[in-house]
Amino acid sequence: MPRTRGDSDGRRVRTKLRAMQANDDRFWMQRALALARRGVGRTRPNPPVGAVIVRSGRAVGRGYHRRAGGPHAEVYALRQAGTRAQGATLYVTLEPCSTRGRTGPCTAAVVAAGIARVVVGARDPNPRHRGRGLDRLRRRGVRVASGVCSDEAGRLLRPFAKWITRGVPFVTLKMGMTLDGRIADASGRSRWITSAVSRRVVRQLRKEADAILVGSSTAVRDDPSLLAGRASSPAWRVVVDAHGRLPPTARLLNDGAVGRTIMATTRKCTPRRLARWRGRGAAVWVLPEARGHVSLGCVLRRLGRMGILHVLCEGGGEVAAALIRGGHVDEFLFFVAPGIMGGGAVPVVGGAGWSLAGAPRLKFAECRRVGPDLLIRATPLRRGEVGQR
């Protein structure tokens, strides 16, 4: 039969409606992602999740996962929505769970509340659960759409995804340096290379991490606290110190967070120093060596067994080199100050270095101003990716 003008008009209306719904879906998923970010660094070993329930174009319920063992984001949103959840749309950054853990399955709560449609940012990265929650919802008559704002939802889930599939944390290597790649002058002074604005950004990064890792040189030279300023649930602090260089008088061993401080060392550390660290209240791990240093692979695997999802490494150069050489770094953050030291100043990456042909290659993901400094975010260039030699 020949097409009529009515058919054409109907197709245009349907196309316009689909585009409007897609825009609405992205808008509300952005709201759910903003909620999820509130839980970053507080939910380990669970991922941060946000949820919004929308009915007749208005948000009637909101929630985010606040801590492991507590209600999930969907439950908070359903409680707030009450009877208004009937026939509504649920926007959630991660596929609702379908199994019982410390809390009941969210899929059952969604169905019981009468939710008509569920829009998901990302599917569960756990291979055992991936897609099961969405299948259960479909079988119960709930309409499902997935992959809305998938890139942003995926970035939020990267630490959890690595941990649940490989058993080790996601590693961010943060380096504050001069324009010529120096982290301290020839005498070892490093305060302050980067600006106060950059240091505020770093404190926020600490809030979002589950553990902060430094080498003994940084811990001795800078005597840092590695605290983010929040009073509750601080990140674990990990000092990699093969020879027992950190004195018991260090700030890390004499503050209110010492019970969340880990000294990772080897048999080269003296029993007396081990006892002094333990006497201060720190946990002490005596681990195997790798190239004369603490095996960072062992450190990360043990942190993974603790449920640590995200490790922020703040140096120094030897630890940075070992992490890079071991293929442990998932993300690089370079805070570059507009200064030059040259000469015998301390390089940002130590160790023996690489040949030009064998040097690790990165790809830039972001570059922006942070006060007078530059923040460059990069990721390792994996084998087969464009740009690798």
Side-chain angles (χ1 to χ4, degrees):
M1 293 180 63
R3 295 178 180 177
T4 65
R5 181 174 178 180
D7 292 335
S8 180
D9 289 345
R11 282 195 298 273
R12 282 197 293 269
V13 169
R14 288 192 293 273
T15 299
K16 186 175 181 180
L17 287 173
R18 283 195 293 269
M20 290 173 61
Q21 184 176 70
N23 287 335
D24 284 347
D25 286 349
R26 285 191 290 272
F27 174 84
W28 290 114
M29 187 59 71
Q30 290 288 346
R31 307 282 83 74
L33 286 164
L35 286 167
R37 292 185 188 105
R38 297 185 187 181
V40 172
R42 299 174 179 271
T43 62
R44 57 181 177 267
N46 294 344
V49 181
V52 179
I53 296 173
V54 177
R55 181 171 177 176
S56 301
R58 294 179 61 247
V60 295
R62 298 178 177 87
Y64 68 95
H65 188 39
R66 299 167 189 245
R67 61 177 179 82
H72 289 185
E74 300 94 318
V75 173
Y76 278 117
L78 289 169
R79 287 176 182 174
Q80 190 177 98
T83 58
R84 293 174 295 178
Q86 185 77 35
T89 296
L90 167 67
Y91 294 88
V92 60
T93 58
L94 176 66
E95 171 184 355
C97 64
S98 57
T99 56
R100 177 174 292 278
R102 283 185 279 184
T103 60
C106 288
T107 49
V110 168
V111 171
I115 291 287
R117 181 171 178 257
V118 173
V119 180
V120 172
R123 291 199 297 169
D124 193 332
N126 186 339
R128 297 177 58 191
H129 300 156
R130 187 176 176 86
R132 284 183 57 186
L134 303 184
D135 289 343
R136 287 195 176 189
L137 291 171
R138 290 188 182 101
R139 288 198 300 268
R140 298 300 297 270
V142 179
R143 290 180 290 130
V144 173
S146 63
V148 176
C149 300
S150 59
D151 287 347
E152 292 169 79
R155 282 197 297 272
L156 192 65
L157 288 170
R158 287 181 306 172
F160 175 74
K162 183 181 179 184
W163 176 78
I164 199 66
T165 57
R166 296 174 55 186
V168 292
F170 184 93
V171 176
T172 296
L173 178 57
K174 187 278 297 181
M175 294 175 280
M177 61 189 189
T178 59
L179 198 59
D180 60 339
R182 307 293 172 166
I183 60 174
D185 65 19
S187 66
R189 289 190 297 270
S190 60
R191 290 190 175 184
W192 294 103
I193 287 177
T194 55
S195 67
V197 180
S198 290
R199 295 197 295 276
R200 285 198 295 271
V201 174
V202 171
R203 285 194 291 273
Q204 181 59 37
L205 292 171
R206 290 175 182 172
K207 289 181 180 180
E208 297 174 358
D210 299 322
I212 317 297
L213 185 146
V214 295
S216 58
S217 294
T218 298
V220 172
R221 181 184 66 233
D222 295 346
D223 195 20
S225 73
L226 302 180
L227 296 175
R230 65 181 178 188
S232 60
S233 187
W236 285 88
R237 302 176 297 183
V238 184
V239 180
V240 180
D241 186 354
H243 297 86
R245 295 179 57 203
L246 191 71
T249 55
R251 293 175 67 189
L252 287 161
L253 300 170
N254 291 277
D255 60 20
V258 67
R260 298 178 70 83
T261 300
I262 297 167
M263 298 301 302
T265 188
T266 68
R267 295 188 183 278
K268 293 178 179 178
C269 183
T270 66
R272 184 170 184 270
R273 181 52 56 92
L274 296 177
R276 294 288 297 277
W277 286 343
R278 290 190 177 106
R280 292 292 183 181
V284 177
W285 296 352
V286 180
L287 300 173
E289 295 181 33
R291 296 174 180 261
H293 303 286
V294 178
S295 167
L296 292 176
C298 289
V299 172
L300 294 174
R301 287 191 291 274
R302 190 152 176 178
L303 289 172
R305 291 196 294 271
M306 291 172 57
I308 298 297
L309 306 184
H310 188 186
V311 172
L312 174 66
C313 177
E314 297 199 27
E318 296 298 322
V319 171
L323 285 170
I324 296 168
R325 192 175 295 279
H328 302 302
V329 182
D330 300 288
E331 177 182 59
F332 295 82
L333 293 177
F334 302 95
F335 288 83
V336 184
I340 295 173
M341 282 196 280
V346 182
V348 67
V349 177
W354 292 266
S355 66
L356 179 60
R361 305 286 292 181
L362 311 181
K363 58 180 179 181
F364 295 131
E366 178 186 9
C367 181
R368 62 183 172 92
R369 291 283 296 271
V370 179
D373 305 329
L374 284 179
L375 170 56
I376 301 172
R377 184 168 63 87
T379 55
L381 198 62
R382 304 299 185 186
R383 182 172 297 176
E385 288 189 292
V386 175
Q388 186 169 7
R389 297 182 179 181

